[in-house]
Amino acid sequence: MNVIDHLNNALDYIEQNLEDEINEHEIARRAYCSVYHFKRMFSYLAGISLQDYIRRRRLSLAALELQSSTVKVIDIAIKYGYHSPDSFTRAFQSQHGITPTEMRVTNQSLKVYPPMTFRLSIGGSEPMKFRIENKEAFQVIGITNRVTPVDMGEHPGVEHVWRSTDHDTYAELKSLNNVEPYGILHVDRGDGSGLVKGEYDYYLSVASTKPCPDKFTRLDVPSMTWVVIDVKVPWGPEKWQQIYGEWFPSSGYEQIEGPRIQIGPEIAIGIENQVKVMTEEVEVEYWIPVKQVR
């Protein structure tokens, strides 16, 4: 059984249990990977989070059942995991544009999402430069902010860091960089980032052995194994597809919890200047924490 078969086996489990409790550990077991790796891989390959996919499928089945039966709305709500009519109505209206009651007395179109299936695609035509790096623990020092991701464009929480950093502070930060990896580090710490929903902490930072000044925040990065991928920023969804759809399935590694580190580019002080810089392609390194699984 190959990677595609494992993924589809996991999707089959989800489909068979939309009316019941779905166990994320069972999903991951069927996919032969950790829960953490599966959720990130799914998000980058499917373009939505695992949680959103399950919600969309449940609300799709609920709509079809409401349309073709006389079962009470509250009974269908409970059947698909909603314990109050209000929460079910809000979720239903968010997906379908009308309430369950309105749907039964009108003939409006519904937004129904079919079951997802992963298919084998021919990849590898675009080369990917990478290396495996085993690195001892190190410290980063920087300016941090809590970030809520948005679907399009740079995340506001990241822009806030760039906007609020002045020239003197930025120069002081760069002067602290005295160990590898050299250069400005854009560090994401937490469940979110990229196409994965959830808040995360962003650090505009450098690696340093020096004491952390009061104006900055320190983050200790443990000893880890990393896949270091050469990419050009800004990058689009196709690069995530290549990493999670081609590299990980064939590599014998899976992603583990830990910070993601992008080395470079330097920022141009002032948000307007930075946005202008980020429209030009710049080569950077992207570090993902991994473990070998086969």
Side-chain angles (χ1 to χ4, degrees), residues 87-150:
S87 62
F88 178 65
T89 297
R90 286 193 298 270
F92 192 94
Q93 187 167 24
S94 176
Q95 176 160 314
H96 298 291
I98 55 175
T99 68
T101 302
E102 289 170 341
M103 191 215 72
R104 278 191 156 162
V105 297
T106 64
N107 194 28
Q108 294 190 41
S109 299
L110 300 174
K111 188 179 288 184
V112 175
Y113 292 89
M116 187 175 290
T117 301
F118 288 108
R119 293 186 174 90
L120 180 65
S121 62
I122 304 302
S125 59
E126 182 69 23
M128 178 183 291
K129 294 178 62 178
F130 74 92
R131 70 179 188 275
I132 299 298
E133 178 101 8
N134 294 301
K135 187 167 179 56
E136 295 300 315
F138 64 100
Q139 167 191 265
V140 301
I141 294 173
I143 305 159
T144 187
N145 194 32
R146 191 70 172 168
V147 175
T148 301
V150 295

Side-chain angles (χ1 to χ4, degrees), residues 6-23:
H6 296 325
L7 290 174
N8 286 326
N9 193 27
L11 291 179
D12 287 342
Y13 166 78
I14 293 171
E15 198 64 25
Q16 293 161 10
N17 290 275
L18 289 172
E19 299 177 15
D20 304 305
E21 191 74 25
I22 292 178
N23 187 319

Side-chain angles (χ1 to χ4, degrees), residues 178-189:
N178 63 348
V179 292
E180 292 183 339
Y182 292 108
I184 288 295
L185 309 182
H186 302 271
V187 180
D188 297 340
R189 179 175 176 267

Side-chain angles (χ1 to χ4, degrees), residues 26-171:
E26 179 61 18
I27 295 174
R29 186 189 71 80
R30 291 174 179 243
Y32 285 82
C33 64
S34 68
V35 171
Y36 184 85
H37 182 69
F38 180 84
K39 291 172 76 171
R40 299 192 73 82
M41 181 169 58
F42 181 92
S43 294
Y44 286 116
L45 293 179
I48 59 171
S49 69
L50 177 63
Q51 181 181 6
D52 280 348
Y53 173 70
I54 294 172
R55 176 183 55 80
R56 287 180 179 184
R57 284 295 299 138
R58 282 174 166 161
L59 290 171
S60 294
L61 294 184
L64 293 173
E65 192 162 339
L66 281 166
Q67 193 176 53
S68 62
S69 74
T70 58
V71 178
K72 292 180 180 179
V73 171
I74 182 59
D75 291 335
I76 292 179
I78 292 172
K79 181 177 181 178
Y80 290 104
Y82 293 87
H83 300 293
S84 77
D86 288 343
S87 62
F88 178 65
T89 297
R90 286 193 298 270
F92 192 94
Q93 187 167 24
S94 176
Q95 176 160 314
H96 298 291
I98 55 175
T99 68
T101 302
E102 289 170 341
M103 191 215 72
R104 278 191 156 162
V105 297
T106 64
N107 194 28
Q108 294 190 41
S109 299
L110 300 174
K111 188 179 288 184
V112 175
Y113 292 89
M116 187 175 290
T117 301
F118 288 108
R119 293 186 174 90
L120 180 65
S121 62
I122 304 302
S125 59
E126 182 69 23
M128 178 183 291
K129 294 178 62 178
F130 74 92
R131 70 179 188 275
I132 299 298
E133 178 101 8
N134 294 301
K135 187 167 179 56
E136 295 300 315
F138 64 100
Q139 167 191 265
V140 301
I141 294 173
I143 305 159
T144 187
N145 194 32
R146 191 70 172 168
V147 175
T148 301
V150 295
D151 291 335
M152 297 293 291
E154 193 54 75
H155 305 320
V158 174
E159 289 188 348
H160 176 75
V161 174
W162 297 344
R163 186 184 296 111
S164 61
T165 302
D166 58 43
H167 289 276
D168 290 341
T169 301
Y170 190 46

Side-chain angles (χ1 to χ4, degrees), residues 237-285:
E238 68 281 352
K239 182 55 68 175
W240 294 118
Q241 293 274 347
Q242 188 181 20
I243 293 171
Y244 286 92
E246 297 178 22
W247 190 84
F248 270 116
S250 63
S251 68
Y253 288 84
E254 68 177 42
Q255 185 172 354
I256 62 173
E257 293 188 60
R260 284 79 59 196
I261 301 174
Q262 180 179 299
I263 303 179
E266 290 204 9
I267 69 165
I269 297 301
I271 188 63
E272 295 81 7
N273 292 333
Q274 180 61 18
V275 169
K276 182 179 178 181
V277 169
M278 291 298 286
T279 60
E280 303 171 0
E281 283 197 339
V282 180
E283 290 188 356
V284 301
E285 289 185 349

